[in-house]
Amino acid sequence: MSFLINQLISNNEEAVCMIMKRLEAKYGISFPPVLREFYRQHDGQKIALCKFQVNGYWCEVSSIVSLCVGRMTFERITDNDREDGLISSLLFPLAMDRGGNLYYWQKGTEKVFLLLSDDIENPFLVTNSIQAFFELLEQAVL
C-alpha cells in the first residue's frame, strides 16, 4: 500500500486479532475482510497525507484509526460517539483528517462517509466500499 509510510512498527498480530474479536462482540459487528487484513498487518502504522476530490469537494486523510495505538483508538471514538448519541450506531470510525473530521464505514454496506465535526448530521458519501476507499488513498498520496 503506497499510502503507508515505510517504517518498521512492532505490530503484535495476535493482540490485534484478539482486540478485533473483542470489539466485534462488544459492538455486534464483523470487521470487513479488507479492514481485518489491514489491521492485522498495519494497525498503528503512519500514512502519508492523502488529498482527493469527491464530487467537487476536497478531502484529505492523515491517519487510519488504530485499534491499539494512540489516544483516539477505534474503541474510544466509538464509545464517545455512542455516548453522545449523535452518530448512527451503524457507523464505525475508519480514518481522520488533520482537522479532526472523521471517516466512518457503515455496518452492513461498507460504504465510507465523511462526517465533518461542524456538520455531523449530514454524512458525506465518499466511497461505496472500504476497498474503494483504500484505492482512493493509493491514488491520492502526495
Side-chain angles (χ1 to χ4, degrees):
M1 298 183 155
S2 64
F3 61 89
L4 295 169
I5 294 176
N6 290 333
Q7 61 180 1
L8 293 174
I9 59 168
S10 56
N11 187 17
N12 183 335
E13 189 175 326
E14 185 177 329
V16 169
C17 290
M18 288 176 56
I19 289 171
M20 273 194 283
K21 192 177 233 182
R22 184 178 60 75
L23 294 173
E24 287 177 329
K26 179 176 181 175
Y27 300 117
I29 60 172
S30 180
F31 283 97
V34 67
L35 191 54
R36 176 180 296 283
E37 189 62 24
F38 179 86
Y39 280 135
R40 280 183 54 245
Q41 295 182 19
H42 306 290
D43 184 53
Q45 190 167 353
K46 294 188 182 305
I47 69 166
L49 180 64
C50 301
K51 289 188 177 186
F52 51 90
Q53 248 185 343
V54 177
N55 296 329
Y57 182 81
W58 278 100
C59 302
E60 75 169 35
V61 175
S62 60
S63 65
I64 303 296
V65 172
S66 174
L67 298 180
C68 309
V69 179
R71 291 183 318 112
M72 297 302 289
T73 61
F74 179 95
E75 186 171 25
R76 183 167 184 187
I77 294 168
T78 303
D79 286 349
N80 287 343
D81 289 347
R82 299 308 179 259
E83 190 176 297
D84 293 342
L86 299 174
I87 295 174
S88 168
S89 62
L90 297 177
L91 296 178
F92 293 88
L94 176 61
M96 336 176 93
D97 67 15
R98 292 179 293 181
N101 298 307
L102 284 159
Y103 293 82
Y104 289 84
W105 59 274
Q106 185 176 44
K107 176 183 174 179
T109 68
E110 290 189 35
K111 289 182 178 183
V112 176
F113 295 91
L114 170 60
L115 275 69
L116 301 172
S117 56
D118 60 352
D119 191 18
I120 60 173
E121 298 86 17
N122 297 301
F124 174 78
L125 178 64
V126 177
T127 62
N128 285 317
S129 70
I130 296 168
Q131 179 66 44
F133 182 75
F134 283 153
E135 289 169 5
L136 202 57
L137 297 184
E138 285 285 323
Q139 299 165 6
V141 176
L142 295 178

